[in-house]
């Protein structure tokens, strides 16, 4: 489907009647479109998100830099209220497949969060309303999270006798262990302000989607090589010694300067 917004043509693709992917002015937006159920994760939503991820990776790899940033959003009152357990349990024979790892050692539910990182560009999640369980874990797969002050975030898996398992050991590695344990053990809801304090949210905004799109538009027109270098620096630094960190900084900067050519 192609939509016209002024002079800009926006192509929108739909996946399993649950997720849309649109691209405009260098920014891709992936939107969950099951608003009546607060974008709860049923089988079709899971398949739609995985399909949208694959398509997004195709576009970023084949598009020659046409996409510079991605926004994840949810239609309606909530970003995502987590697993729709009634729907998921209606097909119990399919559940083991969710934990079957691929050649990279990642299973489908983990890929729901980790898969956004394969796009190779900044990913910003816009969060409002209910951001529960799997919804929060998907959001943690983004690089940045813009959250409404009145949003409610929680790891609710404990209510089902489960543990958060959508790659959270990777995506929340920046957070304190005691904070994660308290949230995972209690299922306690936190508002936007507390989420920012705890490290679940990057910044607050009354209109998270508008703010996320504005941020993405700015990032989309920055140097792709510099953006990638910053990601490499800050993702690798925690595992390196002081000397190795400084050497990595210098190596990345040297490469960027060489790309600039004669000054």
């Amino acid at each position: 489907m192609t939509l016209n917004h002024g002079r800009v043509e926006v192509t929108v693709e739909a996946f399993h009647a649950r997720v849309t992917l649109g691209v405009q002015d260098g920014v891709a937006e992936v939107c969950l479109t099951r608003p009546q159920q607060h974008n709860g994760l049923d089988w079709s939503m899971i398949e739609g998100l995985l399909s949208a991820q694959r398509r997004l990776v195709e576009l970023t790899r084949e598009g020659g830099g046409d996409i510079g940033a991605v926004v994840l959003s949810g239609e309606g009152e909530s970003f995502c209220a987590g697993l729709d357990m009634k729907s998921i349990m209606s097909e119990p024979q399919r559940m083991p497949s969710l934990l079957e790892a691929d050649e990279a050692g990642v299973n489908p539910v983990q890929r729901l969060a980790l898969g956004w990182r394969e796009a190779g560009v900044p990913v910003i999640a816009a969060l409002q309303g209910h951001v529960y369980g799997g919804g929060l874990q998907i959001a943690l797969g983004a690089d940045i999270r813009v959250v409404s002050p009145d949003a409610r975030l929680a790891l609710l898996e404990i209510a089902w006798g489960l543990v958060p398992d959508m790659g959270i050991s990777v995506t929340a590695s920046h957070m304190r262990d005691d904070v994660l344990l308290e949230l995972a053990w209690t299922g306690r809801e936190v508002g936007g302000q507390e989420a920012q304090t705890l490290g679940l949210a990057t910044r607050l905004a009354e209109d998270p989607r508008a703010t996320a799109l504005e941020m993405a538009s700015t990032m989309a027109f920055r140097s792709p090589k510099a953006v990638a270098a910053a990601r490499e620096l800050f993702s690798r630094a925690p595992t390196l010694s002081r000397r190795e960190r400084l050497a990595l900084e210098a190596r990345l900067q040297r490469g960027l300067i060489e790309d600039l050519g004669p000054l």
Side-chain angles (χ1 to χ4, degrees):
M1 175 172 56
T2 299
L3 306 177
N4 289 315
H5 292 261
R7 296 182 180 178
V8 181
E9 204 173 68
V10 185
T11 299
V12 179
E13 300 180 58
F15 302 90
H16 298 272
R18 291 288 188 267
V19 180
T20 59
L21 168 59
V23 181
Q24 179 178 355
D25 294 338
V27 175
E29 181 175 11
V30 177
C31 183
L32 286 64
T33 58
R34 198 183 178 218
Q36 289 79 13
Q37 290 76 29
H38 293 270
N39 296 313
L41 297 166
D42 62 358
W43 288 107
S44 293
M45 178 72 83
I46 290 171
E47 292 168 353
L49 284 167
L50 294 173
S51 296
Q53 286 179 348
R54 290 190 290 268
R55 180 58 178 150
L56 184 62
V57 171
E58 289 176 359
L59 291 172
T60 54
R61 290 180 178 176
E62 299 172 2
D66 291 343
I67 296 176
V70 177
V71 170
L72 300 181
S73 65
E75 183 180 338
E77 297 179 3
S78 298
F79 172 71
C80 177
L83 281 180
D84 181 340
M85 292 300 293
K86 182 177 180 180
S87 174
I88 295 297
M89 293 304 295
S90 69
E91 299 183 65
Q93 73 280 3
R94 299 181 63 180
M95 292 189 66
S97 68
L98 295 177
L99 300 179
E100 294 178 359
D102 58 19
E103 294 180 355
V106 181
N107 67 42
V109 292
Q110 293 167 338
R111 190 161 296 283
L112 286 172
L114 296 172
W116 309 111
R117 302 183 175 196
E118 296 182 5
V121 297
V123 179
I124 307 167
L127 310 180
Q128 80 283 357
H130 299 166
V131 189
Y132 294 155
L136 176 52
Q137 293 185 73
I138 289 171
L140 285 169
D143 298 296
I144 293 170
R145 285 159 296 285
V146 182
V147 181
S148 169
D150 58 2
R152 306 299 297 175
L153 294 77
L155 295 172
L156 292 181
E157 286 79 5
I158 192 67
W160 300 96
L162 300 174
V163 64
D165 68 336
M166 294 170 62
I168 195 169
S169 58
V170 175
T171 60
S173 59
H174 64 286
M175 295 181 60
R176 286 169 33 189
D177 291 345
D178 60 333
V179 170
L180 286 172
L181 286 170
E182 189 255 335
L183 294 176
W185 284 340
T186 65
R188 181 173 67 86
E189 295 183 21
V190 301
Q193 185 65 61
E194 186 177 2
Q196 185 178 35
T197 300
L198 296 177
L200 292 169
T202 308
R203 60 181 288 188
L204 301 180
E206 293 295 335
D207 188 338
R209 178 176 177 270
T211 299
L213 288 170
E214 181 180 358
M215 293 170 65
S217 295
T218 298
M219 295 173 189
F221 290 96
R222 300 302 188 191
S223 162
K225 290 185 177 180
V227 168
R231 179 194 294 278
E232 181 177 356
L233 175 60
F234 295 126
S235 63
R236 291 185 57 193
T239 65
L240 302 176
S241 67
R242 179 177 182 274
R243 184 184 187 90
E244 290 170 330
R245 294 183 192 197
L246 296 177
L248 177 60
E249 281 185 22
R251 178 177 66 77
L252 292 171
Q253 192 74 303
R254 187 178 300 110
L256 294 172
I257 291 173
E258 290 173 354
D259 285 340
L260 293 176
L263 299 179

